[in-house]
Amino acid sequence: MMDYELFKEVITERIKDFLPPGFMNNRVEIRTVCKINQKKDTLIVRPERTADIAAMPNIYMDEMYELFQECQDLDRVLCKMAALIIHYTARFSTEELDLDLSKRKDFIVMNLINTRRNQELLKTVPHREVMDLSVIYRIIMGKEEQGMATVMINNSIMQEMGLSREELDQAAYENTARLFPVEIFKLSDMLYVMTNESKLHGATTMMYREAVQMLAEKIGGDFYLIPSSIHEIMAVPKEKGNLQKLVSLLEEGNRVCTQDFEILSNSIYQYDQKQGTFQLAASYSPQEERTDLP
């Protein structure tokens, strides 16, 4: 069985054999990138000239290695990777994407991530800490029915755009609520769900002040918030919620139902309607450092 390191070397050497002639002058690189809650080895087929770059897909090498382990057919894996590169490179053309970041202020948005699980990533990007979470920022470069091309804003991009952290945060707050309107669902008298219309990074709606107040009005007062994933949050009226049971529910959900890269937090939050503020209510320790529940 070919090991992972050799697999990466062979893929790098052979991938151009499966791509059209237009890719022959491109550089093939494998980089380790920080994603939310994880690090990933990614293969990139990069044009020689920066001006030719529209949207370069990141092909995750661990996923391709899993496919190879299943099928034991390297050519099949290379065909799959080539198809992904061709498809996603063509999806957003340079004509459709405005690559001048200074013109993209109206398309800066915010995402919520877990601070402890993303410490290395947070060293390189502007962010704002909120309880045990951090707000990070992205630029929407192109959008279509089946997906978006985005750029995560790092410290150098923030400087290139000529924005302070406060200006970046204010722009992201206004744009996110405008571009990703909130949706609230009542599942029962005990349970509400809040996300956004796209159902992507919908947990960020807990940062929308007006939306959270609207949720409190629907619930009828203070509530506990369960961060079920990066894509949505759940809310339970405080007077009806058993905090210990909610912590256990969150722990089980994170362990069994939620993929690792979609986990937002190990904590339950409490919203005070009168003050209009959140605070930590209770947490659990992840399995590898598990102690007693609070």
Side-chain angles (χ1 to χ4, degrees):
M1 167 70 72
M2 184 185 303
D3 68 21
Y4 179 59
E5 294 302 320
L6 179 57
F7 173 79
K8 290 191 294 183
E9 291 180 15
V10 174
I11 291 294
T12 303
E13 292 173 359
R14 295 192 58 199
I15 186 62
K16 283 188 181 181
D17 295 337
F18 291 77
L19 290 169
F23 288 86
M24 290 306 101
N25 292 326
N26 290 19
R27 298 195 304 272
V28 178
E29 303 174 357
I30 292 182
R31 295 183 175 184
T32 301
V33 298
C34 290
K35 305 290 289 183
I36 295 175
N37 294 346
Q38 60 188 329
K39 287 183 179 180
K40 300 279 260 184
D41 288 332
T42 65
L43 181 137
I44 301 172
V45 182
R46 178 188 297 275
E48 289 288 343
R49 297 191 311 148
T50 305
D52 294 334
I53 298 174
M56 292 182 301
N58 288 326
I59 308 299
Y60 298 128
M61 296 300 293
D62 59 333
E63 297 174 8
M64 295 298 104
Y65 187 61
E66 287 180 10
L67 176 60
F68 172 67
Q69 290 178 309
E70 292 173 5
C71 69
Q72 293 294 303
D73 187 338
L74 189 61
D75 284 358
R76 178 181 169 188
V77 175
L78 285 159
C79 284
K80 172 73 171 179
M81 296 177 70
L84 290 171
I85 292 167
I86 294 166
H87 174 71
Y88 286 103
T89 300
R91 175 178 284 189
F92 299 101
S93 68
T94 52
E95 290 76 18
E96 293 172 322
L97 297 178
D98 186 349
L99 302 178
D100 185 348
L101 298 183
S102 65
K103 299 178 181 178
R104 306 301 294 177
K105 182 177 178 180
D106 291 341
F107 296 92
I108 297 170
V109 297
M110 59 183 175
N111 293 157
L112 273 178
I113 63 174
N114 184 274
T115 299
R116 183 186 63 83
R117 293 168 65 92
N118 293 279
Q119 292 182 10
E120 188 166 345
L121 171 65
L122 292 172
K123 293 176 183 177
T124 65
V125 301
H127 61 280
R128 175 167 61 89
E129 294 188 6
V130 181
M131 297 178 290
D132 63 334
L133 307 176
S134 289
V135 177
I136 62 171
Y137 310 95
R138 296 180 185 271
I139 306 171
I140 298 177
M141 302 297 292
K143 191 175 181 180
E144 61 162 28
E145 184 176 346
Q146 296 182 335
M148 290 184 292
T150 68
V151 172
M152 186 180 295
I153 297 179
N154 57 28
N155 293 325
S156 62
I157 290 176
M158 182 179 68
Q159 293 178 355
E160 180 183 337
M161 298 184 76
L163 297 174
S164 65
R165 289 177 184 265
E166 292 74 19
E167 291 170 332
L168 182 66
D169 190 67
Q170 183 61 32
Y173 178 81
E174 295 172 357
N175 295 337
T176 309
R178 171 175 56 85
L179 296 171
F180 297 93
V182 68
E183 286 192 351
I184 299 174
F185 305 94
K186 181 179 180 181
L187 298 184
S188 69
D189 290 338
M190 280 283 294
L191 188 62
Y192 290 74
V193 175
M194 188 162 72
T195 182
N196 57 40
E197 288 184 354
S198 73
K199 311 300 187 296
L200 295 173
H201 288 279
T204 304
T205 54
M206 69 179 282
M207 302 300 298
Y208 302 0
R209 289 184 289 271
E210 293 182 0
V212 175
Q213 282 285 12
M214 183 190 309
L215 178 60
E217 290 171 6
K218 288 180 178 291
I219 289 175
D222 299 352
F223 60 84
Y224 290 124
L225 186 148
I226 309 166
S228 50
S229 79
I230 61 174
H231 300 304
E232 65 179 18
I233 57 96
M234 297 181 177
V236 174
K238 183 180 177 183
E239 61 183 18
K240 298 180 181 179
N242 181 306
L243 190 55
Q244 191 74 10
K245 289 183 178 179
L246 295 180
V247 171
S248 297
L249 178 65
L250 175 63
E251 180 183 25
E252 182 178 5
N254 282 348
R255 178 170 49 85
V256 177
C257 303
T258 307
Q259 297 187 71
D260 188 67
F261 63 89
E262 293 183 327
I263 291 174
L264 181 58
S265 178
N266 307 326
S267 302
I268 302 294
Y269 311 112
Q270 176 182 322
Y271 183 72
D272 185 310
Q273 183 182 25
K274 185 175 181 180
Q275 298 295 325
T277 57
F278 280 109
Q279 65 180 24
L280 285 169
S283 302
Y284 73 88
S285 297
Q287 195 71 29
E288 64 272 16
E289 55 187 48
R290 178 71 187 273
T291 56
D292 292 332
L293 290 173

